[in-house]
Amino acid sequence: MGQPQQDPLRGDQAAAGPEGPGDGASASGVAWLLALPKAIARRLRDSAATSPGRLTMIGVGLVVLAMIAGIVGTIVAQDKRDVVTNLTDYREPLSSAAQQIYGSLSEADASAATAFLNGGIEPDSLRSSYELNIARAGAALSKATSDQGATSEADLMVKTLATQLPVYTGLVETARTYNRQGFPAGAAYLREASALMSEEILPAARKLYQIDSAELSEQQDEANAFPWVMAIFGIGLLVALIATQRYLTRRTNRVINKGLLVATIAVGIAVLWGTGAMLTQAILVNDGREHGSNQADVLSRARIAALEGRANETMTLVSRGEGDAFQKNFDAARKRLVGADGNGGLLAEARGLAEGAEHADDVRAATENAKLWLQRHQQMRKLDQEGDYEQAQQLAVGAEEQSVATAFRKLDESLQRGISAGRQEFRAGTVYGGRALLLLAPGMTLLALVAAGGVAVGIQERLREYR
Amino acid sequence: MRLRTILPAVLAVLTLAGITACGDVGQPVDLARVNEAQRPLPQNAGEPEPVDDEPAPDCGDPTASLRPNSDISAGSTMAKIRERGYLIAGIDQNTYLFGFRNPNTGQMEGFDIDVTRAIANALLGDPNKVQFRALTSAQRVPALQDGDVDIVARTMTMTCGRWQDINFSSEYYTAGQRLLVNANSRAESLEDLRGRNVCSAKGSTSIDRIAEAGGKPLQVDNWSDCLVVLQQGQVAGVTTDDSILAGMAAQDPNTKIVGPRFSTEPYGIGIPKENEDMVRYVNSVLDDFRGGEWARSYGRWLSELGAPPRPPAPKYQD
């Protein structure tokens, strides 16, 4: 293998020019290659001893540095813009989809249970609500499935959701068929479906939401990180340019070198523009996070707690006190929502975040509606405990203005409005932040080329004086 | 010249080396692989935990109750219930024919419910003045001990063990344990299901006999959950009182009750241990109930079990 390859190499070396190191001409190609760095170092040392040689070296060095800084700046700027765009186009929609999966599934389950409580032929509105929410959950799930960068844990959650959802709907339909026949086996199937929902499906949806919202938060951190590499290269180049100019001034007594001046100005602009744009972007993205996505996150978690409470409230009636697990679950969800004293919990957290923001009204409305719901829940429980099951049931699921169902609907609507407002704020901040980086990447390339050109011209000018 | 001839050869060799170097091409990539589907189970279903079998002390005849007495004196349990205005009854809302919620009307119905309403009617003058508390089999005795309910009318077998903790009314129905299997099954007895899963309710008298016959017990909260696991293919049979099995067979014509009765299960109404006045009162109501209502209720719910037998004769301890 070795023998035939030696010849072309030597041919190349011969073609490369007569400047090849003298001692390598007679040796083999490999030996020449090995000797190359040493030879170059020697030649550089020789050149540096003369002024034109040194100047050439400085010029080449500066051009190379300008090109590297330009490439780094362009990549960093483009990457930053990608990260910011990714936030609005991909990460946030994913976490929102996960929240929708939870909300829709939980509502579907509540509709199925309520339809059962109503007795007889299920009201069309409940059936429609069930179907719509299952369809919504399926659509949101298909979006969650598209998360390419998903962690294996998120993947597992999506898999649980995708495999168990059809099982759940199957059980609900079986329950429905038995109910229409007047058999209590329907209730048994409904209980099984509800258990599957609350023990496997909803926890997976909740976990998926947690993973996705943590991921969003992480990406926001990344978007707001200071671009150290870019700054170091930019400032390093600037310092090198200024030093060169001072060196030349000392050497030649000429104050201004136009080429180098242009290069310095270009790099100065690049540093100022880059830092300014990225700081602006970080401030805007952070604003969208604090007033937008954080708010949406707290309200989403509040909605999850409220829906969990509602489902358990309904199941307390369906089960007619069979075990007090549902009531315990309700109390736990209530505590998460409004705290032990009724003035804390996630809603208090949301109020704190919303202070002075546009959607403060939605959060206040949610707080009021939560109070109303919990108040009516107490009334309903009192009726049930006093033995008036029929009245309690009517109060729980009826469509009247004073029913628990109506109060809950109002709460859910205000929470959803708050979540939408938070998402809008997030989007505004992040999109404006992204716009701050507009043209930054091509700008970095252009300014680097100008700087390199300026250096080349400026050094060339000085070199000409030696000829 | 040589370069031109050698270079393509070298490239060809390198390419060939690349193609053949790794040898094995590996398996096609499966993005999602699921090897088995998980069947859903009713909530709290599972294998029973081993219980230390303390043999119940002999109490003589467990069907013997206290002599009836319909007097309601001031301060008695019955007077307190009257003051409250409604009777709190622990019932089953899932057992077709005995105690179940009719999904079409939302009302509680069944043989046990008829007995409960008869007691409410006698005590309060209105069969509807009842607050129904749904209980699982395992919750019956604790609910009575804690005083959460006035009575429990829920297919409850009178046993010496339970007499320790609660009181029973006189016997109002006699059931016997049998076996329910799919219509195409060849099993005739619990012994035929040796080594296979058999369903029964947690805290019932039936569940102990599964392991005794060599089967693997699967316990659930409610009897209707047993029908669910039978339909889902997770058990080969369900064993409990024929009265309860008849309700399952009525809901699913693809099941059948097989084999003879292998136990006698006298049903009594459970009453808290301290409320002996209530026991005597309920027994007087049951005496009336046996008169004509018993047969009417039997005919309405249990006619599938055959022509109405005579109601069980009450027995008393003295």
Side-chain angles (χ1 to χ4, degrees), chain B residues 142-160:
Chain B
L144 286 167
Q145 284 175 316
D146 297 345
D148 290 342
V149 293
D150 298 323
I151 60 167
V152 166
R154 193 193 179 285
T155 57
M156 196 170 186
T157 305
M158 309 166 78
T159 64
C160 284

Side-chain angles (χ1 to χ4, degrees), chain A residues 443-467:
Chain A
M444 289 291 131
T445 310
L446 193 69
L447 287 170
L449 287 175
V450 169
V455 168
V457 169
I459 298 291
Q460 198 80 40
E461 202 180 298
R462 284 287 169 275
L463 275 177
R464 221 177 288 131
E465 286 165 10
Y466 289 95
R467 296 217 172 106

Side-chain angles (χ1 to χ4, degrees), chain A residues 97-110:
Chain A
Q99 187 262 128
Q100 276 166 22
I101 294 174
Y102 189 98
S104 306
L105 286 178
S106 181
E107 232 173 286
D109 197 38

Side-chain angles (χ1 to χ4, degrees), chain B residues 113-170:
Chain B
I113 306 298
D114 286 349
V115 177
T116 307
R117 288 193 194 280
I119 296 169
N121 194 29
L123 188 55
L124 301 153
D126 184 346
N128 291 319
K129 289 204 166 156
V130 189
Q131 181 190 355
F132 293 111
R133 286 269 171 89
L135 301 175
T136 64
S137 297
Q139 286 170 340
R140 291 175 297 194
V141 172
L144 286 167
Q145 284 175 316
D146 297 345
D148 290 342
V149 293
D150 298 323
I151 60 167
V152 166
R154 193 193 179 285
T155 57
M156 196 170 186
T157 305
M158 309 166 78
T159 64
C160 284
R162 287 176 183 158
W163 267 110
Q164 297 273 301
D165 303 314
I166 58 166
N167 278 321
F168 279 107
S169 72
S170 57

Side-chain angles (χ1 to χ4, degrees), chain A residues 7 120 178 185 189 191-192, chain B residues 2 43 94 103 225 231-232 251:
Chain A
D7 284 334
Y178 269 121
Y189 274 99
R191 274 200 312 275
E192 188 177 54
Chain B
R2 285 181 71 194
Q43 200 165 25
N94 297 300
D225 294 337
Q231 289 180 339
Q232 287 177 168
Q251 293 181 79

Side-chain angles (χ1 to χ4, degrees), chain A residues 314-326:
Chain A
T314 318
M315 285 313 287
T316 310
L317 282 177
V318 170
S319 69
R320 276 195 190 228
E322 215 164 64
D324 49 2
F326 295 116

Side-chain angles (χ1 to χ4, degrees), chain A residues 4-5 7-8 116-120 159 163-164 167 171 178-185 187-189 191-192 195-196 198-200 318-323 326 384-387 389-390 393, chain B residues 2-3 6 10 33-34 38 40-43 86 91-96 100-108 130-136 139 222 224-225 227-228 231-232 234 250-252:
Chain A
Q5 279 184 344
D7 284 334
F116 172 79
L117 265 186
N118 262 296
K159 192 171 160 189
T163 50
Q164 295 303 313
V167 178
L171 291 174
Y178 269 121
N179 277 342
R180 290 199 78 126
Q181 288 176 289
F183 290 141
Y189 274 99
R191 274 200 312 275
E192 188 177 54
L196 180 67
S198 62
E199 284 168 14
E200 284 198 45
V318 170
S319 69
R320 276 195 190 228
E322 215 164 64
F326 295 116
D384 185 29
Q385 266 147 21
E386 282 170 2
Y389 183 80
E390 316 282 309
Q393 183 190 319
Chain B
R2 285 181 71 194
L3 182 68
I6 291 167
V10 170
R33 183 177 298 172
V34 175
Q38 179 195 342
L41 264 180
Q43 200 165 25
Y86 56 92
I91 45 95
D92 192 346
Q93 62 166 346
N94 297 300
T95 299
Y96 193 46
F100 69 100
R101 179 183 181 275
N102 183 333
N104 292 331
T105 61
Q107 296 296 314
M108 301 300 303
V130 189
Q131 181 190 355
F132 293 111
R133 286 269 171 89
L135 301 175
T136 64
Q139 286 170 340
N222 287 293
S224 54
D225 294 337
L227 180 60
V228 170
Q231 289 180 339
Q232 287 177 168
Q234 287 147 323
Q251 293 181 79
D252 183 352

